[in-house]
Amino acid sequence: MAMSSSSSSCITTALTRLVHLTPSSTPSNPKPFLSTQRPFFTFFTLKSSSSSLTSSSSSVKSSITTMSYNKQLAAAKKAASLAARLCQNVQKGLLQSDVQSKSDKSPVTVADYGSQVLVSFVLQKELPDQAFSLVAEEDSGDLRKEESQETLHRITKLVNDTIANDGSYKVSPLSEGDVLTIIDSGMSEGGPNGQHWVLDPIDGTKGFLRGDQYAIALGLLDEGKVVLGVLACPNLPLESIASGNKNALGRAAAGCLFSAQLSCGTYMESLDGSPPVKVHVSNTENPEEASFFESYEAAHSSHSLSGSIAKVKLGVKAPPVRIDSQAKYGALSRGDGAIYLRFPNKGYREKIWDHAAGYIVVAEAGGVASDAGGKPLDFSKGRYLDLDTGIIVTNQKLMPALLKAVQDSLKEEVLPSL
Ligand SMILES: Nc1ncnc2c1ncn2[C@@H]1O[C@H](COP(=O)(O)O)[C@@H](O)[C@H]1OP(=O)(O)O
Ligand SMILES: [Mg+2]
Ligand SMILES: [Mg+2]
Ligand SMILES: [Mg+2]
């Protein structure tokens, strides 16, 4: 899987654009989040508009001719690594009171909230001169309720302890009010203009609760395209989890950090600091040799449909590797398997934070992700992905056969409805 080691420098895509910075207070342009006497961050949403480039006292015009994302990538790695530390500590001693149920009945833990706070905090500390817009999964609504006071207190302590133990940031401890405001810094709507961070603070919360796989998934959109992504996977073994290597998931040393930047490739390092190595997706052209990944949770993706596509249509021999979260994209990017199939129930709307980071991690490793109709994933439409039926991921050589198998199977199968 590893191809070579490399420094993090790379020549990146040149973008030319005019931007218009507008401070305001709509949900996609949140106000500065700290109302205390510690004004260390300011929010601006970066708006790009060819029709609004008139001079105005409240706008700042800037021309960006060459764009490198090295600084943002370094900040994203730092943010995801620190959040992973908080998640690992919580997972070690998870208490029942740490888990709540959201209005859609999905679980959320103190670690989901804590991770979101840390990522937002670190990005803004590391990139103080840059506009900040964040599309993230969690919001503070439930935490503002009377019965959540204890939970909020615990999140605040976890975040402050993690920042203090890390020692990189000399700030006074965040208050509970700060924590609520920072969580809500993730309410941006994203979209096709400007830059937006995209965060799933814990992807695979059910895996996290089981003690299995989960990921801190952070991507950056620029003009609607994913230009960098980082996946911190604290429980993913450093060695391959291909279906022939069953022991890896139980025993091997774990903790992987995947990072990718447009036109620069994908790298993997250990969360405790080994040098990055370049990774590449599997080169197999023979579907019989390919193994495939799917969700651990059958409610998230039809196992029967993936099974019939892989085994019956493509002749895949190995049993599926079922793991939670975007760790699947990370494992695919280093060639542990060659195919990832995802077919949620009809009516389920995929969110951009569930795929943005994984998408570029696989794409920069030589893979390709599309919807079940073969269309590239479009991250420019706001908080949701508009998809035809499901998501399929593989290498370039297998994609035509996989797409045909998917479409043939979909014609035969009636998907389960909600
Ligand atoms: N009913 C559902 N169908 C599909 N995906 C879901 C569903 N409920 C939650 N998810 C999301 O699926 C992802 C986990 O995917 P996987 O099945 O690949 O492990 C997570 O992003 C999870 O959200 P969350 O981030 O809240 O854990
Ligand atoms: Mg969730
Ligand atoms: Mg998720
Ligand atoms: Mg999540």
Side-chain angles (χ1 to χ4, degrees), residues 137 200 202-205 295 299-300 324-325 328 342 348 354:
E137 180 180 2
D200 194 334
I202 290 189
D203 183 47
T205 307
S295 293
H300 289 182
D324 305 276
S325 86
K328 290 186 276 299
R342 182 176 188 83
Y348 182 78
D354 284 325

Side-chain angles (χ1 to χ4, degrees), residues 169-401:
Y169 306 107
K170 303 287 172 238
V171 287
S172 27
L174 300 176
S175 69
E176 291 176 4
D178 294 338
V179 163
L180 292 171
T181 319
I182 299 174
I183 289 171
D184 285 337
S185 69
M187 286 171 71
S188 169
E189 292 293 323
N193 301 131
Q195 295 194 350
H196 306 276
W197 291 100
V198 179
L199 171 68
D200 194 334
I202 290 189
D203 183 47
T205 307
K206 286 184 178 163
F208 176 78
L209 290 170
R210 247 188 276 112
D212 286 341
Q213 297 303 320
Y214 65 99
I216 293 95
L218 177 61
L220 180 65
L221 301 183
D222 195 350
E223 303 295 305
K225 299 259 182 301
V226 189
V227 295
L228 71 81
V230 167
L231 286 178
C233 306
N235 288 344
L236 187 68
L238 294 162
E239 68 178 71
S240 170
I241 56 160
S243 59
N245 197 9
K246 282 200 167 4
N247 289 334
L249 272 169
R251 289 200 314 235
C256 302
L257 180 66
F258 296 90
S259 55
Q261 184 183 165
L262 196 63
S263 310
C264 295
T266 297
Y267 292 82
M268 187 189 87
E269 60 205 273
S270 72
L271 270 172
D272 53 18
S274 65
V277 282
K278 195 166 190 182
V279 294
H280 202 278
V281 294
S282 156
N283 278 322
T284 188
E285 291 177 55
N286 180 359
E288 288 187 20
E289 284 169 8
S291 64
F292 75 103
F293 289 103
E294 63 182 345
S295 293
Y296 182 95
E297 297 283 340
H300 289 182
S301 179
S302 166
H303 286 172
S304 65
L305 181 54
S306 320
S308 90
I309 292 164
K311 284 180 211 143
V312 182
K313 300 278 187 229
L314 289 170
V316 171
K317 295 218 165 63
V321 178
R322 290 183 177 145
I323 59 168
D324 305 276
S325 86
Q326 287 173 69
K328 290 186 276 299
Y329 284 102
L332 206 84
S333 77
R334 64 184 190 187
D336 292 7
I339 296 168
Y340 168 24
L341 299 169
R342 182 176 188 83
F343 298 103
N345 284 343
K346 262 199 182 113
Y348 182 78
R349 292 182 77 193
E350 295 278 7
K351 328 297 185 303
I352 60 170
W353 53 77
D354 284 325
H355 300 283
Y359 173 84
I360 192 165
V361 161
V362 162
E364 283 297 322
V368 51
S370 76
D371 72 9
K375 277 208 321 237
L377 304 185
D378 181 354
F379 293 90
S380 73
K381 294 271 162 46
R383 292 170 74 89
Y384 293 95
L385 282 170
D386 281 334
L387 286 178
D388 177 355
T389 313
I391 294 179
I392 59 179
V393 190
T394 187
N395 65 27
Q396 312 264 359
K397 292 172 192 155
L398 280 174
M399 188 47 111

Side-chain angles (χ1 to χ4, degrees), residues 102 104 106-108 112 137-138 200 202 205:
K102 296 203 282 192
D104 64 0
S106 65
V108 60
D112 297 64
E137 180 180 2
E138 309 303 343
D200 194 334
I202 290 189
T205 307

